[in-house]
Amino acid sequence: MPALETELAAERAHLDASREALRRMRERAEDLFATGDQVAGDPFAAETLGRTLARRIADLADNPDTPLFFGRLDIEKHEYHVGRRHVTDTAGEPMVLDWRAPLSRRFYQASAADPQDVDVRRRFGFVKGELTSFEDEHLGRGEEQGTSQILLDEIERPRVGPMRDIVATIQPEQDALVRAEIDESVCVQGAPGTGNPNPGI
């Protein structure tokens, strides 16, 4: 049990460091926004840059009640935290991978039968942004735990207030649809909120 507490403490420390890195990224964008009207004396370029930076600042807003990452991939002795947006340290190294990044696809698609070089897939449990637990699947050893309790808890959480982030609960079939090429036509039927990935059902 002490080993689990040590790991949980390390993950909480990574979450705190990631939030600090996100704050620095936002401050950098705000500094650029503040000087954007000085771009080469060109009003059009300044306006375009200003709009772009305003969107960037909004995208980098942190909500302490929402986790920055919901999973982790261990691949060839490297750890990759997967979350809603990318976060980098001062050297530009990723602290959190955007769930849409190509490498993040393995979080949704890897399995014991096809581990895709993933040694361990970790899912995190959160309560109001506080990291409370984790579950590991040792896919590299051919171990798959079945249905994750953390995943079930998230799916079954009451749907009140604004629509919550669903990227932590995407299933392999849904991931394939989300990443389908733009020129492919896809018909998905099902009641709102069911996430039914099977056309015609």
Side-chain angles (χ1 to χ4, degrees):
M1 193 62 75
L4 291 177
E5 287 300 320
T6 300
E7 282 222 46
L8 193 58
E11 295 293 4
R12 286 174 175 154
H14 185 79
L15 177 61
D16 290 343
S18 298
R19 287 200 184 283
E20 179 62 21
L22 182 63
R23 184 190 62 76
R24 285 194 303 268
M25 291 169 65
R26 183 180 169 95
E27 286 177 353
R28 174 71 177 139
E30 289 170 340
D31 289 345
L32 290 172
F33 181 78
T35 59
D37 57 352
Q38 303 167 18
V39 177
D42 180 344
F44 177 75
E47 182 181 342
T48 302
L49 178 61
R51 280 197 306 267
T52 301
L53 287 172
R55 281 195 302 270
R56 173 84 173 144
I57 290 167
D59 288 344
L60 292 173
D62 187 15
N63 178 350
D65 290 338
T66 304
L68 279 184
F69 53 80
F70 49 80
R72 192 183 89 185
L73 294 171
D74 293 4
I75 302 173
E76 297 175 359
K77 299 183 180 177
H78 293 286
E79 297 175 357
Y80 302 96
H81 288 78
V82 180
R84 296 177 298 110
R85 63 162 65 88
H86 83 285
V87 178
T88 57
D89 64 15
T90 53
E93 292 298 314
M95 298 184 72
V96 180
L97 291 178
D98 189 302
W99 70 277
R100 293 161 291 196
L103 185 61
S104 298
R105 180 174 196 156
R106 300 185 202 186
F107 182 78
Y108 303 105
Q109 295 289 336
S111 65
D114 180 19
Q116 300 180 28
D117 296 323
V118 175
D119 296 316
V120 178
R121 173 172 50 213
R122 175 169 287 182
R123 295 182 191 276
F124 295 103
F126 286 87
V127 175
K128 294 186 176 179
E130 180 185 346
L131 198 158
T132 57
S133 61
F134 65 85
E135 294 174 346
D136 286 345
E137 293 176 277
H138 295 273
L139 303 181
R141 296 188 213 150
E143 297 175 11
E144 204 163 10
Q145 70 175 29
T147 304
S148 159
Q149 187 60 49
I150 287 176
L151 180 61
L152 282 177
D153 290 346
E154 179 61 21
I155 290 172
E156 294 175 0
R157 194 155 50 91
R159 295 177 180 160
V160 294
M163 180 176 279
R164 68 179 190 270
D165 205 336
I166 57 95
V167 295
T169 62
I170 292 174
Q171 299 300 292
E173 298 85 358
Q174 294 167 319
D175 180 67
L177 293 176
V178 168
R179 297 177 197 268
E181 294 296 327
I182 193 117
D183 59 351
E184 294 181 26
S185 295
V186 178
C187 174
V188 179
Q189 296 179 343
T194 64
N196 183 355
N198 300 310
I201 294 179

